[in-house]
Amino acid sequence: MATKAKASVKPRFRSSKGPLVGIVMGSTSDWEVMREAAKVLKEFGVSQESRALSAHRTPQALEQWIASCERGGTRCFIAAAGAAAHLAGVVAAQTALPVLGVPMPSKYLKGMDSLLSMVQMPKGIPVATFAIGEAGAANAALFAVAMLSLGDKALAKKLTAYRAKQTRTVLAARLPEV
Ligand code: RP5
């Protein structure tokens, strides 16, 4: 089964044909976490396509999707998987575009299996691995925005504004009375 999330608002930052960022996850069960990445990209107006495709359950469809994203002008991939999380490594094996990996929480080992599977890529094929779960999903998207900002002043401005707003929110927060 494939999940395809489309932003209701037309993204401002997009490639000519395909999504700027391809988000792939090993299962539809990962979507609750990975929607945090899609939400961040939507907030920045960056075009994305989210798909549930598995390295072991749908290997051919995964390969075809990566190739079609590349043809469409995708600039990086965010890949999320749980347990023996080889998806990000398999994506990285098939593209020279940056691959940002997000380890999914897992039932028995709480995502430690996913994290170690993903972060311990052998030398030569890198996967930039983020935190387990929602924070990792959001940060992978913010990292993608930062990379895209290198060639896009308007997007860089939005990222600076986002960070400034976050700073203001933290400084304005008051702790509850004892
Ligand atoms: C991985 O196995 C997926 O990325 C998911 O995190 C995990 C469990 O998948 P389901 O059994 O819920 O489909 O491939």
Side-chain angles (χ1 to χ4, degrees):
M1 187 161 48
T3 297
K4 194 169 180 175
K6 282 201 176 136
S8 52
V9 196
K10 203 173 176 189
R12 286 187 55 211
F13 304 98
R14 54 189 306 127
S15 72
S16 51
K17 286 180 275 175
L20 275 181
V21 180
I23 301 179
V24 63
M25 61 214 79
S27 168
T28 52
S29 64
D30 298 324
W31 175 240
E32 269 317 294
V33 173
M34 288 314 294
R35 72 189 321 152
E36 296 304 316
K39 266 162 59 179
V40 167
L41 294 175
K42 187 174 175 184
E43 187 176 343
F44 279 91
V46 171
S47 63
Q48 62 84 27
E49 182 175 297
S50 296
R51 296 290 303 270
L53 290 168
S54 160
H56 51 277
R57 290 169 176 157
T58 63
Q60 277 121 7
L62 175 65
E63 193 180 337
Q64 285 160 11
W65 179 73
I66 293 166
S68 91
C69 284
E70 283 197 324
R71 284 195 299 276
T74 292
R75 305 288 289 279
C76 69
F77 291 97
I78 297 175
H86 41 267
L87 178 64
V90 169
V91 174
Q94 295 184 46
T95 181
L97 292 171
V99 177
L100 317 181
V102 186
M104 291 295 95
S106 56
K107 189 171 173 189
Y108 295 106
L109 298 178
K110 310 295 175 208
M112 280 306 289
D113 43 357
S114 325
L115 172 65
L116 296 178
S117 302
M118 204 171 266
V119 80
Q120 285 295 94
M121 277 300 286
K123 184 178 176 183
I125 304 290
V127 168
T129 304
F130 288 81
I132 300 167
E134 286 87 350
N139 277 347
L142 286 169
F143 198 88
V145 169
M147 286 195 297
L148 294 167
S149 293
L150 293 171
D152 190 321
K153 283 193 178 134
L155 190 56
K157 218 170 141 189
K158 277 190 121 177
L159 183 56
T160 305
Y162 176 95
R163 299 275 289 252
K165 185 179 169 201
Q166 187 169 246
T167 299
R168 283 196 303 275
T169 306
V170 173
L171 292 177
R174 292 289 167 263
L175 296 172
E177 295 295 323
V178 179

